[in-house]
Amino acid sequence: MSLESQLRAGGVVRFHALPEIPGQTIAKHTWRLVRILRSVWPEVPDHVLRHAECHDLDELFIGDIPAPVKREIGEDALERLFEETADYSKDIIQDATGCQCERWEKEIVSFCDRMELVIYCLSCSPSPITSRVVQRGLAYAKEHLDDV
């Protein structure tokens, strides 16, 4: 993926389907994610940082699929969608980072990614939507803590 495309990807907006939550660019999200990652893992290896920096680059092409849509279409349909784009997405991230992470390293990045979501939503105006997003984010993190 070209540098120009990587920079353009930073402008993709998250939460576009939830008017109760202010939009957040991938660039802002990624900055915050990396800060959290460095806080929980001060000696984080460079290849994991590169993965964290590039984990959402594919959203330039496939967009940020809203969580309610993911839940509505179900795991099977979502799995098929990701299978169709997996090689493409994997190639984008590997091309941008020049490396691969171990599964446990990706789990740590995913945990920090979810914590960034929770922290961001807690900073928004309280609403039933933001409360639900925070609750789901915390449940995901708790469920996956044992995997890390």
Side-chain angles (χ1 to χ4, degrees):
M1 174 183 266
S2 71
L3 176 59
E4 177 185 2
S5 293
Q6 291 178 52
L7 295 175
R8 286 182 45 238
V12 173
V13 177
R14 298 162 41 98
F15 308 115
H16 61 278
L18 295 172
E20 299 86 357
I21 301 175
Q24 179 191 42
T25 65
I26 296 300
K28 184 174 182 178
H29 160 69
T30 300
W31 169 256
R32 292 164 54 99
L33 164 62
V34 169
R35 304 301 350 126
I36 293 167
L37 179 59
R38 284 184 174 276
S39 293
V40 300
W41 191 1
E43 303 300 322
V44 60
D46 286 343
H47 71 279
V48 177
L49 281 174
R50 288 193 307 273
H51 175 75
E53 291 169 349
C54 298
H55 79 285
D56 282 336
L57 288 180
D58 58 348
E59 292 183 10
L60 177 62
F61 303 103
I62 63 173
D64 181 33
I65 302 170
V69 172
K70 291 177 184 177
R71 285 190 297 278
E72 182 66 31
I73 65 174
E75 284 297 318
D76 291 339
L78 193 57
E79 191 63 35
R80 284 193 309 276
L81 172 65
F82 287 134
E83 283 174 8
E84 291 295 319
T85 61
D87 289 338
Y88 182 64
S89 296
K90 187 174 86 173
D91 289 345
I92 289 171
I93 292 172
Q94 286 179 5
D95 181 47
T97 64
C99 70
Q100 293 182 358
C101 287
E102 299 292 330
R103 183 181 113 14
W104 67 271
E105 293 171 323
K106 290 179 183 179
E107 286 290 330
I108 293 172
V109 172
S110 294
F111 172 80
C112 293
D113 186 44
R114 200 54 66 119
M115 289 299 88
E116 193 284 325
L117 165 79
V118 168
I119 293 166
Y120 181 73
C121 287
L122 286 172
S123 72
C124 299
S125 298
S127 76
I129 296 293
T130 55
S131 294
R132 194 171 12 190
V133 171
V134 167
Q135 289 169 355
R136 287 189 175 143
L138 290 173
Y140 172 91
K142 183 179 180 184
E143 178 182 319
H144 288 84
L145 264 179
D146 292 334
D147 294 341
V148 174

